[in-house]
Amino acid sequence: MALEAVEAGVLAIIRPLLEDAYRMGKAAEIMPLPDYVGLDSMSVAWVYASTSVTATDGNLSSAVHNYTDRSNGEWNAAMRQFCSAVWGTSAWGQSREGYEWKHDSAQPGQASSHPVMDVMVKTCDVMSDALRAWAAAAKDVRDDLRRLYYEAVLKALPHIDRSDGLDMKDVKSFGKGLLKMGRSFAVGFALEVDEEAMNAAVEAYNNRVRRQVAELNKLHEALDEAYLSAPTFRAESARAESWATPPRVT
């Protein structure tokens, strides 16, 4: 709100005139604005989440490495294929949504594929960027609207009806003056507010937010694939037992 410096009692009286009676064009559509400081803090939290996933992936890779004997080619190939399922790969996996979902192999030059981890890291990074961009957009439009509100208030002062003895000392104090301004101040404010500039500021804000929404929507398909591909502990335990236990001879 532009008039944050005004004492609470006075602000409570004139706020309905500014926000309810005249609505200020498109500005009413985005009120109240989000807490841009809080959004920026949430952005940092997603960075920490991305770092945690990366660290977990590295630790898990080290643990899996202990089960692969690279001096034994056949064993190494079998274990790489088996263990790669931990990251959401499958024997029938393909390249989808920019990620490789097939099992690792021991072929020279074959890079490890950790699609579920990669999807989570990408999601965290995009979420962080989107929240940071939203915070910046909210701060910018708040600053723009505050400036336009102040300009309109200052321009509205000459419209005030002073026939009841109100003088400019009262007006400048924003105390007794605003309490007496009544409808003359509201009408003057409505006449002087630059609604076109306010609408342009709001539209710029909405466009910036829509761009971030579009980026977030791009994450859905990869996240759905990761959710379906990520194995459960129970399923992998059963798979390990069946894979490691030789068949019974009857």
Side-chain angles (χ1 to χ4, degrees):
M1 183 66 185
L3 302 176
E4 292 168 350
V6 180
E7 60 186 86
V10 177
L11 183 58
I13 293 175
I14 67 172
R15 177 176 285 150
L17 298 175
L18 301 183
E19 295 185 357
D20 295 333
Y22 294 98
R23 302 301 291 173
M24 305 311 157
K26 291 185 177 181
E29 300 173 5
I30 61 173
M31 294 295 184
L33 286 167
D35 176 11
Y36 64 86
V37 176
L39 289 174
D40 194 65
S41 296
M42 292 173 62
S43 171
V44 174
W46 279 98
V47 172
Y48 291 149
S50 175
T51 302
S52 297
V53 173
T54 301
T56 300
D57 188 24
N59 293 336
L60 187 56
S61 297
S62 298
V64 170
H65 181 73
N66 295 330
Y67 293 97
T68 59
D69 181 2
R70 285 182 290 179
S71 65
N72 184 328
E74 184 177 357
W75 172 256
N76 182 37
M79 288 306 298
R80 280 195 62 172
Q81 177 176 330
F82 179 82
C83 292
S84 68
V86 173
W87 287 280
T89 62
S90 64
W92 55 87
Q94 301 175 358
S95 177
R96 292 191 298 277
E97 313 307 329
Y99 302 92
E100 293 292 336
W101 300 88
K102 63 183 179 181
H103 282 326
D104 287 349
S105 71
Q107 298 177 358
Q110 172 74 35
S112 298
S113 178
H114 301 173
V116 171
M117 296 295 189
D118 292 341
V119 168
M120 288 194 291
V121 170
K122 175 67 177 297
T123 299
C124 290
D125 292 344
V126 173
M127 283 295 301
S128 178
D129 291 343
L131 287 168
R132 186 178 297 108
W134 187 13
K139 182 181 185 305
D140 288 346
V141 74
R142 185 187 299 270
D143 291 344
D144 288 341
L145 293 180
R146 179 183 291 114
R147 174 179 53 79
L148 292 168
Y149 268 50
Y150 271 124
E151 290 176 357
V153 168
L154 294 176
K155 291 178 181 178
L157 296 180
H159 295 280
I160 298 171
D161 180 7
R162 290 184 285 164
S163 60
D164 60 355
L166 177 69
D167 59 30
M168 292 309 294
K169 291 182 179 179
D170 294 327
V171 173
K172 291 178 181 178
S173 70
F174 276 103
K176 175 184 173 184
L178 282 178
L179 289 171
K180 286 186 174 182
M181 286 178 186
R183 186 169 181 80
S184 63
F185 171 78
V187 171
F189 182 89
L191 291 173
E192 296 296 346
V193 68
D194 189 345
E195 187 170 333
E196 183 178 350
M198 294 182 72
N199 288 345
V202 171
E203 191 59 29
Y205 167 79
N206 286 335
N207 287 336
R208 291 168 71 176
V209 173
R210 290 189 195 105
R211 285 197 292 271
Q212 300 312 313
V213 171
E215 291 301 314
L216 293 179
N217 285 335
K218 295 177 183 178
L219 300 172
H220 289 175
E221 293 187 7
L223 280 169
D224 290 341
E225 186 70 32
Y227 178 79
L228 295 174
S229 300
T232 64
F233 177 81
R234 179 176 296 180
E236 287 304 294
S237 296
R239 180 168 171 261
E241 291 178 5
S242 64
W243 188 78
T245 303
R248 289 185 178 183
V249 178
T250 57

